[in-house]
Amino acid sequence: MDVDSVECLSLPDAAMDADDVGLALHPHGGLLAAAAASRPAAYPKAAAAAGGIVAPGSSVHELLECPVCTNSMYPPIHQCQNGHTLCSTCKARVHNRCPTCRQELGDIRCLALEKVAESLELPCKYYSLGCPEIFPYYSKIKHEAMCSFRPYSCPYAGSECSVTGDIPYLVNHLRDDHKVDMHSGCTFNHRYVKSNPREVENATWMLTVFHCFGQYFCLHFEAFQLGMAPVYMAFLRFMGDENEARNYSYSLEVGANGRKMVWEGTPRSVRDSHRKVRDSHDGLLIQRNMALFFSGGDRKELKLRITGRIWKETQTPDGACVPVLCS
């Protein structure tokens, strides 16, 4: 019996033969082993392990794919009287009607398919992006939520951009599609001008990308409403994971008329959304009155000059930490 024909049927006249069911469900049976062995080059860890490992795109993997949302199904897995399956999340969305045959779903569980799932080990869904890990079916989804190989979201804050990808792809996307300024070096000196400092709605705020230490950093500057008055905020995000971001530090400084404000901190990873960083106030925060004081003149126009630098701390032989700027 071919694996594609494995179904979960509740009607007596459509029930599977017991020998067929046993063959499909056996965790080390020939069908599952064949599914894993069909892709040994792509999954070296899978090829070396026992025969319950199934590659994405295999017949067994397709059986566990919900026909509505196309995500992997986890117990409870539901089925209609004709054996069509779907996940519990989608069952609520289809108003108790099978999306395949339109029959009423009821509360029939597909226990056979749930048993199949328990016997499987699957590669992370980000295997094509470099993740080599293999997980039991039911713990795979927890890993994928935190997998270091998962794509990054576009860090551009001026629009609701849905683009995802790796860092080189997103750098090109920011430059070509969002026309973001790109700079090399670990120091910056930027001037921000706004004709109406009291207007923060529908404002387009600045994003600049810096390349130093072989990494990319996003410098954000924007305004938002805090209480009854607008505030201005500058902060840095690292284009990489949080554990890498901790290797770097940065400072921001704004001032004029004999006064200055200085911020020092660690850049946040772009894994943290722009809004999450902004709402945590993790950056240089400037109240409007102070911003207008730094702007000088008649205080009717915002003119802020923000300077800063990025550095990486290295440890000397005697154990001291010394900040190092990029060359």
Side-chain angles (χ1 to χ4, degrees), residues 19-151:
D19 291 337
D20 290 338
V21 174
L23 181 60
L25 298 184
H26 196 284
H28 302 297
L31 290 180
L32 298 184
S38 64
R39 289 167 175 81
Y43 312 105
K45 288 180 69 174
I53 299 170
V54 178
S58 69
S59 298
V60 174
H61 187 267
E62 290 171 358
L63 281 174
L64 291 165
E65 184 179 274
C66 175
V68 178
C69 64
T70 71
N71 292 325
S72 297
M73 294 187 289
Y74 295 85
I77 299 175
H78 297 277
Q79 68 171 36
C80 73
Q81 291 186 354
N82 292 324
H84 304 125
T85 57
L86 78 165
C87 70
S88 57
T89 301
C90 291
K91 181 177 183 290
R93 294 166 52 191
V94 299
H95 306 293
N96 207 38
R97 288 285 174 185
C98 173
T100 303
C101 66
R102 309 308 301 168
Q103 293 293 317
E104 187 175 348
L105 284 170
D107 292 313
I108 305 173
R109 290 271 294 275
C110 186
L111 301 180
L113 199 55
E114 291 180 9
K115 287 290 186 181
V116 170
E118 287 177 1
S119 71
L120 300 182
E121 290 185 330
L122 295 173
C124 171
K125 72 177 180 180
Y126 303 119
Y127 72 95
S128 62
L129 300 178
C131 183
E133 299 298 328
I134 302 290
F135 293 92
Y137 184 81
Y138 292 137
S139 62
K140 185 174 82 86
I141 194 168
K142 182 177 180 181
H143 158 79
E144 289 171 349
M146 299 300 294
C147 178
S148 60
F149 291 91
R150 70 192 190 278

Side-chain angles (χ1 to χ4, degrees), residues 2-4 26 33 74 78 90 92 94 100 123 130 181 185 207 227 245 292 316 320:
D2 186 76
V3 179
D4 282 334
H26 196 284
Y74 295 85
H78 297 277
C90 291
V94 299
T100 303
D181 288 336
L207 170 64
L292 293 175
T316 63

Side-chain angles (χ1 to χ4, degrees), residues 255-260 293-294:
N257 302 321
R259 309 287 191 277
K260 71 177 179 180
F293 177 80
F294 289 148

Side-chain angles (χ1 to χ4, degrees), residues 200-217:
V200 296
E201 297 296 329
N202 303 316
T204 299
W205 299 101
M206 302 294 294
L207 170 64
T208 307
V209 173
F210 292 88
H211 182 240
C212 58
F213 299 107
Q215 307 287 349
Y216 290 93
F217 299 83

